[in-house]
Amino acid sequence: MHNCLIVDDEPVARDIIKNYCVHLPVLRVAADCGNAFEAKAILLQQQVDILFLDIHMPVLDGIAFLKTLKHIPQVIFTTAYREYAAHAFDLAACDYLVKPFSLERFIVAVDKAVDRLSSAARQGFESLPSLIDEHFFIKADGKIYNLHRDSVLFAEAKGNYTKIVTVTGTILAAVPFSSFEAQLASGMFIRVHRSFIVNKARITHIEGNRVFIQENEIPIGGNYKDMFLKSLKL
């Protein structure tokens, strides 16, 4: 079971999230509060694994509050404003829920957070302690590969596997796509489709609903296009 903290200045919004949490046995609501200062005090007192965080709050907004934390839980932003999505993911947010969001969408976000929390223990995958490290290790085909993050061009979901395309070749790792995504530096990589993550620095050009990286053509999903273009300052 994972402890979660709900931070939102609207009592009704907090109640909705608490009611959603009841449906998920994997979650325990450790506390809920109406501002960042109360949240900071709670984080100092107890372990919080998942943080449901509103952006527009009095005095200190959610994004500014997140920047003050030394130890950041898995963060799921909950807000009525779509325009902060790119900034949120640059801060390594797990997901971004736009109010009003359904229970189904909430469950998807929680599943992402739980996958990240358990990713270090998943079979076939080991990483260095920090997500900002330049290298990470991954097992595939009975070998352990030491990959430089910048060498990864893009990754594609392949069932329970992840196809990792690098500058030197392709690796098919027995790692769930969400677990692999959790190990990538969010400022460098971005999801452009439910099955594709790309290295922004390796993009050759964009044409219509396609991203080109070297000779590879990658589709841009309709639900991801706006966030993707905002992350590129477009």
Side-chain angles (χ1 to χ4, degrees), residues 54-97:
D54 187 21
I55 289 182
H56 277 266
M57 295 188 295
V59 186
L60 190 65
D61 67 43
I63 290 177
F65 165 61
L66 195 59
K67 292 178 179 178
T68 70
L69 301 180
K70 291 183 179 180
H71 304 289
I72 302 176
Q74 294 301 320
V75 178
I76 299 174
F77 278 105
T78 59
T79 178
Y81 302 88
R82 295 179 179 274
E83 60 266 29
Y84 296 99
H87 195 173
F89 282 110
D90 282 342
L91 293 172
C94 182
D95 210 339
Y96 190 94
L97 301 180

mmCIF file of all heavy atoms in Angstrom, residues 54-97:
data_model
loop_
_atom_site.group_PDB
_atom_site.id
_atom_site.type_symbol
_atom_site.label_atom_id
_atom_site.label_comp_id
_atom_site.label_asym_id
_atom_site.label_seq_id
_atom_site.Cartn_x
_atom_site.Cartn_y
_atom_site.Cartn_z
ATOM 1 N N ASP A 54 -2.565 20.238 -6.693
ATOM 2 C CA ASP A 54 -3.188 21.294 -7.500
ATOM 3 C C ASP A 54 -2.122 22.331 -7.855
ATOM 4 O O ASP A 54 -1.103 22.456 -7.172
ATOM 5 C CB ASP A 54 -4.316 21.941 -6.694
ATOM 6 C CG ASP A 54 -5.130 22.928 -7.523
ATOM 7 O OD1 ASP A 54 -5.102 22.837 -8.771
ATOM 8 O OD2 ASP A 54 -5.783 23.797 -6.917
ATOM 9 N N ILE A 55 -2.331 23.081 -8.926
ATOM 10 C CA ILE A 55 -1.357 24.102 -9.318
ATOM 11 C C ILE A 55 -1.755 25.464 -8.782
ATOM 12 O O ILE A 55 -0.963 26.149 -8.121
ATOM 13 C CB ILE A 55 -1.200 24.142 -10.851
ATOM 14 C CG1 ILE A 55 -0.473 22.881 -11.322
ATOM 15 C CG2 ILE A 55 -0.424 25.397 -11.280
ATOM 16 C CD1 ILE A 55 -0.216 22.821 -12.805
ATOM 17 N N HIS A 56 -2.974 25.897 -9.017
ATOM 18 C CA HIS A 56 -3.406 27.218 -8.565
ATOM 19 C C HIS A 56 -3.854 27.158 -7.113
ATOM 20 O O HIS A 56 -4.942 26.694 -6.794
ATOM 21 C CB HIS A 56 -4.540 27.744 -9.455
ATOM 22 C CG HIS A 56 -4.043 28.383 -10.711
ATOM 23 N ND1 HIS A 56 -3.819 29.730 -10.843
ATOM 24 C CD2 HIS A 56 -3.676 27.834 -11.878
ATOM 25 C CE1 HIS A 56 -3.355 29.991 -12.050
ATOM 26 N NE2 HIS A 56 -3.271 28.856 -12.700
ATOM 27 N N MET A 57 -2.976 27.632 -6.231
ATOM 28 C CA MET A 57 -3.279 27.695 -4.805
ATOM 29 C C MET A 57 -2.788 29.034 -4.262
ATOM 30 O O MET A 57 -1.899 29.650 -4.854
ATOM 31 C CB MET A 57 -2.601 26.529 -4.065
ATOM 32 C CG MET A 57 -3.111 25.158 -4.445
ATOM 33 S SD MET A 57 -2.434 23.852 -3.372
ATOM 34 C CE MET A 57 -0.687 23.939 -3.800
ATOM 35 N N PRO A 58 -3.345 29.481 -3.148
ATOM 36 C CA PRO A 58 -2.947 30.789 -2.603
ATOM 37 C C PRO A 58 -1.507 30.804 -2.101
ATOM 38 O O PRO A 58 -0.991 29.803 -1.622
ATOM 39 C CB PRO A 58 -3.936 31.000 -1.444
ATOM 40 C CG PRO A 58 -4.395 29.617 -1.078
ATOM 41 C CD PRO A 58 -4.419 28.843 -2.360
ATOM 42 N N VAL A 59 -0.887 31.951 -2.235
ATOM 43 C CA VAL A 59 0.469 32.263 -1.760
ATOM 44 C C VAL A 59 1.543 31.502 -2.541
ATOM 45 O O VAL A 59 2.396 32.093 -3.200
ATOM 46 C CB VAL A 59 0.640 31.997 -0.241
ATOM 47 C CG1 VAL A 59 2.027 32.470 0.227
ATOM 48 C CG2 VAL A 59 -0.454 32.686 0.560
ATOM 49 N N LEU A 60 1.534 30.180 -2.478
ATOM 50 C CA LEU A 60 2.553 29.377 -3.152
ATOM 51 C C LEU A 60 1.850 28.347 -4.033
ATOM 52 O O LEU A 60 1.161 27.456 -3.523
ATOM 53 C CB LEU A 60 3.440 28.679 -2.119
ATOM 54 C CG LEU A 60 4.709 27.987 -2.635
ATOM 55 C CD1 LEU A 60 5.693 28.999 -3.206
ATOM 56 C CD2 LEU A 60 5.365 27.172 -1.520
ATOM 57 N N ASP A 61 2.018 28.476 -5.357
ATOM 58 C CA ASP A 61 1.325 27.535 -6.239
ATOM 59 C C ASP A 61 2.028 26.184 -6.263
ATOM 60 O O ASP A 61 3.122 26.011 -5.725
ATOM 61 C CB ASP A 61 1.179 28.104 -7.658
ATOM 62 C CG ASP A 61 2.494 28.275 -8.395
ATOM 63 O OD1 ASP A 61 3.347 27.371 -8.322
ATOM 64 O OD2 ASP A 61 2.672 29.305 -9.074
ATOM 65 N N GLY A 62 1.376 25.205 -6.887
ATOM 66 C CA GLY A 62 1.869 23.840 -6.851
ATOM 67 C C GLY A 62 3.232 23.664 -7.472
ATOM 68 O O GLY A 62 4.078 22.916 -6.948
ATOM 69 N N ILE A 63 3.479 24.314 -8.599
ATOM 70 C CA ILE A 63 4.771 24.173 -9.276
ATOM 71 C C ILE A 63 5.884 24.792 -8.440
ATOM 72 O O ILE A 63 6.962 24.207 -8.277
ATOM 73 C CB ILE A 63 4.709 24.802 -10.680
ATOM 74 C CG1 ILE A 63 3.822 23.937 -11.588
ATOM 75 C CG2 ILE A 63 6.100 24.947 -11.284
ATOM 76 C CD1 ILE A 63 3.619 24.496 -12.975
ATOM 77 N N ALA A 64 5.638 25.972 -7.890
ATOM 78 C CA ALA A 64 6.643 26.611 -7.034
ATOM 79 C C ALA A 64 6.897 25.771 -5.786
ATOM 80 O O ALA A 64 8.045 25.628 -5.345
ATOM 81 C CB ALA A 64 6.181 28.011 -6.649
ATOM 82 N N PHE A 65 5.838 25.215 -5.220
ATOM 83 C CA PHE A 65 5.974 24.364 -4.040
ATOM 84 C C PHE A 65 6.844 23.149 -4.341
ATOM 85 O O PHE A 65 7.730 22.793 -3.566
ATOM 86 C CB PHE A 65 4.588 23.920 -3.579
ATOM 87 C CG PHE A 65 4.584 22.772 -2.622
ATOM 88 C CD1 PHE A 65 5.203 22.870 -1.386
ATOM 89 C CD2 PHE A 65 3.961 21.575 -2.958
ATOM 90 C CE1 PHE A 65 5.197 21.804 -0.496
ATOM 91 C CE2 PHE A 65 3.951 20.510 -2.086
ATOM 92 C CZ PHE A 65 4.573 20.629 -0.840
ATOM 93 N N LEU A 66 6.615 22.532 -5.488
ATOM 94 C CA LEU A 66 7.379 21.337 -5.848
ATOM 95 C C LEU A 66 8.874 21.650 -5.922
ATOM 96 O O LEU A 66 9.714 20.825 -5.550
ATOM 97 C CB LEU A 66 6.883 20.803 -7.190
ATOM 98 C CG LEU A 66 7.297 19.381 -7.558
ATOM 99 C CD1 LEU A 66 6.819 18.389 -6.515
ATOM 100 C CD2 LEU A 66 6.743 19.004 -8.929
ATOM 101 N N LYS A 67 9.222 22.825 -6.386
ATOM 102 C CA LYS A 67 10.623 23.222 -6.508
ATOM 103 C C LYS A 67 11.303 23.397 -5.153
ATOM 104 O O LYS A 67 12.528 23.429 -5.078
ATOM 105 C CB LYS A 67 10.734 24.510 -7.326
ATOM 106 C CG LYS A 67 10.358 24.351 -8.795
ATOM 107 C CD LYS A 67 10.448 25.677 -9.532
ATOM 108 C CE LYS A 67 10.098 25.531 -10.998
ATOM 109 N NZ LYS A 67 10.145 26.818 -11.725
ATOM 110 N N THR A 68 10.513 23.519 -4.079
ATOM 111 C CA THR A 68 11.105 23.694 -2.749
ATOM 112 C C THR A 68 11.423 22.366 -2.067
ATOM 113 O O THR A 68 12.069 22.344 -1.022
ATOM 114 C CB THR A 68 10.156 24.480 -1.816
ATOM 115 O OG1 THR A 68 9.010 23.668 -1.484
ATOM 116 C CG2 THR A 68 9.686 25.773 -2.471
ATOM 117 N N LEU A 69 10.980 21.256 -2.649
ATOM 118 C CA LEU A 69 11.143 19.961 -2.002
ATOM 119 C C LEU A 69 12.470 19.311 -2.353
ATOM 120 O O LEU A 69 12.886 19.302 -3.512
ATOM 121 C CB LEU A 69 9.997 19.019 -2.407
ATOM 122 C CG LEU A 69 8.576 19.477 -2.071
ATOM 123 C CD1 LEU A 69 7.571 18.430 -2.531
ATOM 124 C CD2 LEU A 69 8.426 19.754 -0.575
ATOM 125 N N LYS A 70 13.115 18.752 -1.348
ATOM 126 C CA LYS A 70 14.360 18.013 -1.586
ATOM 127 C C LYS A 70 14.069 16.578 -1.995
ATOM 128 O O LYS A 70 14.724 16.021 -2.866
ATOM 129 C CB LYS A 70 15.225 18.029 -0.317
ATOM 130 C CG LYS A 70 15.799 19.391 0.026
ATOM 131 C CD LYS A 70 16.704 19.297 1.254
ATOM 132 C CE LYS A 70 17.313 20.644 1.591
ATOM 133 N NZ LYS A 70 18.194 20.569 2.795
ATOM 134 N N HIS A 71 13.085 15.971 -1.356
ATOM 135 C CA HIS A 71 12.700 14.592 -1.657
ATOM 136 C C HIS A 71 11.287 14.612 -2.217
ATOM 137 O O HIS A 71 10.325 14.883 -1.487
ATOM 138 C CB HIS A 71 12.788 13.732 -0.404
ATOM 139 C CG HIS A 71 14.140 13.760 0.247
ATOM 140 N ND1 HIS A 71 15.247 13.153 -0.319
ATOM 141 C CD2 HIS A 71 14.571 14.341 1.395
ATOM 142 C CE1 HIS A 71 16.298 13.354 0.455
ATOM 143 N NE2 HIS A 71 15.914 14.072 1.502
ATOM 144 N N ILE A 72 11.170 14.351 -3.499
ATOM 145 C CA ILE A 72 9.895 14.504 -4.191
ATOM 146 C C ILE A 72 9.216 13.147 -4.384
ATOM 147 O O ILE A 72 9.813 12.232 -4.947
ATOM 148 C CB ILE A 72 10.109 15.184 -5.560
ATOM 149 C CG1 ILE A 72 10.772 16.557 -5.362
ATOM 150 C CG2 ILE A 72 8.778 15.346 -6.292
ATOM 151 C CD1 ILE A 72 11.102 17.263 -6.660
ATOM 152 N N PRO A 73 7.968 13.009 -3.929
ATOM 153 C CA PRO A 73 7.220 11.772 -4.185
ATOM 154 C C PRO A 73 6.844 11.691 -5.673
ATOM 155 O O PRO A 73 7.196 12.580 -6.467
ATOM 156 C CB PRO A 73 5.960 11.940 -3.319
ATOM 157 C CG PRO A 73 6.220 13.118 -2.437
ATOM 158 C CD PRO A 73 7.206 13.980 -3.150
ATOM 159 N N GLN A 74 6.134 10.651 -6.052
ATOM 160 C CA GLN A 74 5.551 10.610 -7.384
ATOM 161 C C GLN A 74 4.437 11.650 -7.416
ATOM 162 O O GLN A 74 3.533 11.627 -6.579
ATOM 163 C CB GLN A 74 4.999 9.218 -7.691
ATOM 164 C CG GLN A 74 6.067 8.150 -7.788
ATOM 165 C CD GLN A 74 7.086 8.445 -8.867
ATOM 166 O OE1 GLN A 74 6.749 8.916 -9.957
ATOM 167 N NE2 GLN A 74 8.346 8.181 -8.575
ATOM 168 N N VAL A 75 4.502 12.567 -8.364
ATOM 169 C CA VAL A 75 3.588 13.708 -8.388
ATOM 170 C C VAL A 75 2.572 13.557 -9.511
ATOM 171 O O VAL A 75 2.936 13.335 -10.670
ATOM 172 C CB VAL A 75 4.353 15.034 -8.570
ATOM 173 C CG1 VAL A 75 3.372 16.199 -8.630
ATOM 174 C CG2 VAL A 75 5.347 15.224 -7.439
ATOM 175 N N ILE A 76 1.309 13.678 -9.153
ATOM 176 C CA ILE A 76 0.221 13.727 -10.132
ATOM 177 C C ILE A 76 -0.451 15.081 -9.972
ATOM 178 O O ILE A 76 -1.087 15.352 -8.951
ATOM 179 C CB ILE A 76 -0.791 12.592 -9.910
ATOM 180 C CG1 ILE A 76 -0.107 11.224 -10.062
ATOM 181 C CG2 ILE A 76 -1.957 12.717 -10.880
ATOM 182 C CD1 ILE A 76 -0.997 10.045 -9.718
ATOM 183 N N PHE A 77 -0.258 15.951 -10.949
ATOM 184 C CA PHE A 77 -0.888 17.268 -10.883
ATOM 185 C C PHE A 77 -2.382 17.142 -11.166
ATOM 186 O O PHE A 77 -2.805 16.376 -12.039
ATOM 187 C CB PHE A 77 -0.254 18.222 -11.895
ATOM 188 C CG PHE A 77 1.030 18.841 -11.417
ATOM 189 C CD1 PHE A 77 2.247 18.412 -11.914
ATOM 190 C CD2 PHE A 77 1.019 19.852 -10.475
ATOM 191 C CE1 PHE A 77 3.437 18.984 -11.482
ATOM 192 C CE2 PHE A 77 2.200 20.430 -10.021
ATOM 193 C CZ PHE A 77 3.407 19.993 -10.530
ATOM 194 N N THR A 78 -3.200 17.884 -10.435
ATOM 195 C CA THR A 78 -4.643 17.929 -10.643
ATOM 196 C C THR A 78 -5.039 19.394 -10.775
ATOM 197 O O THR A 78 -4.938 20.149 -9.812
ATOM 198 C CB THR A 78 -5.390 17.276 -9.470
ATOM 199 O OG1 THR A 78 -5.061 17.955 -8.253
ATOM 200 C CG2 THR A 78 -4.988 15.804 -9.330
ATOM 201 N N THR A 79 -5.455 19.801 -11.939
ATOM 202 C CA THR A 79 -5.683 21.226 -12.182
ATOM 203 C C THR A 79 -6.726 21.443 -13.259
ATOM 204 O O THR A 79 -7.019 20.539 -14.045
ATOM 205 C CB THR A 79 -4.362 21.905 -12.610
ATOM 206 O OG1 THR A 79 -4.599 23.289 -12.881
ATOM 207 C CG2 THR A 79 -3.796 21.232 -13.854
ATOM 208 N N ALA A 80 -7.273 22.630 -13.291
ATOM 209 C CA ALA A 80 -8.242 22.989 -14.328
ATOM 210 C C ALA A 80 -7.562 23.641 -15.522
ATOM 211 O O ALA A 80 -8.222 24.021 -16.486
ATOM 212 C CB ALA A 80 -9.290 23.942 -13.741
ATOM 213 N N TYR A 81 -6.250 23.773 -15.490
ATOM 214 C CA TYR A 81 -5.518 24.510 -16.512
ATOM 215 C C TYR A 81 -4.592 23.593 -17.301
ATOM 216 O O TYR A 81 -3.660 23.010 -16.766
ATOM 217 C CB TYR A 81 -4.711 25.640 -15.866
ATOM 218 C CG TYR A 81 -5.569 26.605 -15.092
ATOM 219 C CD1 TYR A 81 -5.867 26.374 -13.745
ATOM 220 C CD2 TYR A 81 -6.113 27.728 -15.706
ATOM 221 C CE1 TYR A 81 -6.672 27.238 -13.026
ATOM 222 C CE2 TYR A 81 -6.923 28.615 -14.986
ATOM 223 C CZ TYR A 81 -7.196 28.363 -13.659
ATOM 224 O OH TYR A 81 -7.994 29.220 -12.951
ATOM 225 N N ARG A 82 -4.847 23.476 -18.599
ATOM 226 C CA ARG A 82 -4.052 22.603 -19.460
ATOM 227 C C ARG A 82 -2.671 23.185 -19.762
ATOM 228 O O ARG A 82 -1.736 22.454 -20.046
ATOM 229 C CB ARG A 82 -4.768 22.371 -20.801
ATOM 230 C CG ARG A 82 -6.068 21.606 -20.684
ATOM 231 C CD ARG A 82 -6.720 21.432 -22.046
ATOM 232 N NE ARG A 82 -7.962 20.685 -21.947
ATOM 233 C CZ ARG A 82 -8.054 19.367 -21.971
ATOM 234 N NH1 ARG A 82 -6.950 18.641 -22.111
ATOM 235 N NH2 ARG A 82 -9.224 18.750 -21.867
ATOM 236 N N GLU A 83 -2.540 24.506 -19.718
ATOM 237 C CA GLU A 83 -1.345 25.154 -20.248
ATOM 238 C C GLU A 83 -0.073 24.900 -19.443
ATOM 239 O O GLU A 83 1.022 25.223 -19.896
ATOM 240 C CB GLU A 83 -1.566 26.667 -20.374
ATOM 241 C CG GLU A 83 -1.890 27.383 -19.073
ATOM 242 C CD GLU A 83 -3.373 27.538 -18.827
ATOM 243 O OE1 GLU A 83 -4.148 26.677 -19.296
ATOM 244 O OE2 GLU A 83 -3.765 28.507 -18.155
ATOM 245 N N TYR A 84 -0.205 24.323 -18.253
ATOM 246 C CA TYR A 84 0.983 24.070 -17.441
ATOM 247 C C TYR A 84 1.531 22.659 -17.606
ATOM 248 O O TYR A 84 2.490 22.276 -16.932
ATOM 249 C CB TYR A 84 0.660 24.307 -15.964
ATOM 250 C CG TYR A 84 0.300 25.729 -15.640
ATOM 251 C CD1 TYR A 84 -1.030 26.109 -15.511
ATOM 252 C CD2 TYR A 84 1.287 26.700 -15.488
ATOM 253 C CE1 TYR A 84 -1.381 27.422 -15.224
ATOM 254 C CE2 TYR A 84 0.949 28.012 -15.191
ATOM 255 C CZ TYR A 84 -0.393 28.366 -15.066
ATOM 256 O OH TYR A 84 -0.723 29.655 -14.788
ATOM 257 N N ALA A 85 0.949 21.883 -18.510
ATOM 258 C CA ALA A 85 1.328 20.467 -18.636
ATOM 259 C C ALA A 85 2.804 20.291 -18.967
ATOM 260 O O ALA A 85 3.501 19.484 -18.355
ATOM 261 C CB ALA A 85 0.460 19.790 -19.693
ATOM 262 N N ALA A 86 3.304 21.033 -19.963
ATOM 263 C CA ALA A 86 4.698 20.869 -20.374
ATOM 264 C C ALA A 86 5.648 21.202 -19.230
ATOM 265 O O ALA A 86 6.637 20.496 -18.995
ATOM 266 C CB ALA A 86 4.992 21.756 -21.578
ATOM 267 N N HIS A 87 5.341 22.280 -18.489
ATOM 268 C CA HIS A 87 6.182 22.667 -17.355
ATOM 269 C C HIS A 87 6.152 21.584 -16.284
ATOM 270 O O HIS A 87 7.173 21.262 -15.667
ATOM 271 C CB HIS A 87 5.681 23.997 -16.788
ATOM 272 C CG HIS A 87 6.671 24.650 -15.876
ATOM 273 N ND1 HIS A 87 6.488 25.913 -15.359
ATOM 274 C CD2 HIS A 87 7.858 24.227 -15.381
ATOM 275 C CE1 HIS A 87 7.508 26.222 -14.582
ATOM 276 N NE2 HIS A 87 8.350 25.215 -14.582
ATOM 277 N N ALA A 88 4.960 21.017 -16.072
ATOM 278 C CA ALA A 88 4.823 19.979 -15.054
ATOM 279 C C ALA A 88 5.672 18.766 -15.380
ATOM 280 O O ALA A 88 6.357 18.215 -14.517
ATOM 281 C CB ALA A 88 3.350 19.579 -14.929
ATOM 282 N N PHE A 89 5.664 18.338 -16.634
ATOM 283 C CA PHE A 89 6.445 17.163 -17.010
ATOM 284 C C PHE A 89 7.938 17.463 -17.003
ATOM 285 O O PHE A 89 8.758 16.561 -16.799
ATOM 286 C CB PHE A 89 5.995 16.630 -18.360
ATOM 287 C CG PHE A 89 4.718 15.837 -18.286
ATOM 288 C CD1 PHE A 89 3.538 16.322 -18.810
ATOM 289 C CD2 PHE A 89 4.706 14.608 -17.643
ATOM 290 C CE1 PHE A 89 2.371 15.589 -18.719
ATOM 291 C CE2 PHE A 89 3.541 13.861 -17.548
ATOM 292 C CZ PHE A 89 2.364 14.359 -18.085
ATOM 293 N N ASP A 90 8.304 18.721 -17.213
ATOM 294 C CA ASP A 90 9.708 19.091 -17.081
ATOM 295 C C ASP A 90 10.185 18.914 -15.644
ATOM 296 O O ASP A 90 11.383 18.738 -15.396
ATOM 297 C CB ASP A 90 9.934 20.544 -17.521
ATOM 298 C CG ASP A 90 9.970 20.690 -19.034
ATOM 299 O OD1 ASP A 90 10.162 19.662 -19.711
ATOM 300 O OD2 ASP A 90 9.794 21.814 -19.528
ATOM 301 N N LEU A 91 9.249 18.962 -14.708
ATOM 302 C CA LEU A 91 9.578 18.761 -13.292
ATOM 303 C C LEU A 91 9.447 17.293 -12.897
ATOM 304 O O LEU A 91 9.410 16.959 -11.726
ATOM 305 C CB LEU A 91 8.663 19.618 -12.419
ATOM 306 C CG LEU A 91 8.848 21.134 -12.531
ATOM 307 C CD1 LEU A 91 7.758 21.859 -11.761
ATOM 308 C CD2 LEU A 91 10.218 21.548 -12.035
ATOM 309 N N ALA A 92 9.393 16.427 -13.906
ATOM 310 C CA ALA A 92 9.325 14.971 -13.690
ATOM 311 C C ALA A 92 8.013 14.529 -13.071
ATOM 312 O O ALA A 92 7.966 13.542 -12.347
ATOM 313 C CB ALA A 92 10.502 14.490 -12.846
ATOM 314 N N ALA A 93 6.928 15.252 -13.356
ATOM 315 C CA ALA A 93 5.625 14.821 -12.872
ATOM 316 C C ALA A 93 5.260 13.479 -13.494
ATOM 317 O O ALA A 93 5.589 13.198 -14.647
ATOM 318 C CB ALA A 93 4.561 15.860 -13.217
ATOM 319 N N CYS A 94 4.588 12.658 -12.730
ATOM 320 C CA CYS A 94 4.185 11.344 -13.213
ATOM 321 C C CYS A 94 3.029 11.466 -14.197
ATOM 322 O O CYS A 94 2.988 10.786 -15.214
ATOM 323 C CB CYS A 94 3.784 10.475 -12.029
ATOM 324 S SG CYS A 94 3.320 8.809 -12.469
ATOM 325 N N ASP A 95 2.076 12.354 -13.889
ATOM 326 C CA ASP A 95 0.932 12.557 -14.776
ATOM 327 C C ASP A 95 0.302 13.908 -14.488
ATOM 328 O O ASP A 95 0.653 14.583 -13.517
ATOM 329 C CB ASP A 95 -0.098 11.430 -14.603
ATOM 330 C CG ASP A 95 -0.868 11.142 -15.884
ATOM 331 O OD1 ASP A 95 -0.913 12.029 -16.766
ATOM 332 O OD2 ASP A 95 -1.420 10.034 -16.019
ATOM 333 N N TYR A 96 -0.641 14.283 -15.358
ATOM 334 C CA TYR A 96 -1.245 15.614 -15.315
ATOM 335 C C TYR A 96 -2.732 15.435 -15.601
ATOM 336 O O TYR A 96 -3.121 15.116 -16.725
ATOM 337 C CB TYR A 96 -0.574 16.487 -16.375
ATOM 338 C CG TYR A 96 -0.902 17.954 -16.336
ATOM 339 C CD1 TYR A 96 -0.091 18.845 -15.649
ATOM 340 C CD2 TYR A 96 -1.997 18.465 -17.019
ATOM 341 C CE1 TYR A 96 -0.367 20.207 -15.630
ATOM 342 C CE2 TYR A 96 -2.280 19.817 -17.018
ATOM 343 C CZ TYR A 96 -1.470 20.688 -16.316
ATOM 344 O OH TYR A 96 -1.740 22.029 -16.311
ATOM 345 N N LEU A 97 -3.555 15.605 -14.581
ATOM 346 C CA LEU A 97 -4.994 15.411 -14.718
ATOM 347 C C LEU A 97 -5.697 16.759 -14.791
ATOM 348 O O LEU A 97 -5.515 17.615 -13.934
ATOM 349 C CB LEU A 97 -5.536 14.617 -13.525
ATOM 350 C CG LEU A 97 -4.948 13.220 -13.304
ATOM 351 C CD1 LEU A 97 -5.584 12.576 -12.083
ATOM 352 C CD2 LEU A 97 -5.136 12.352 -14.528
#
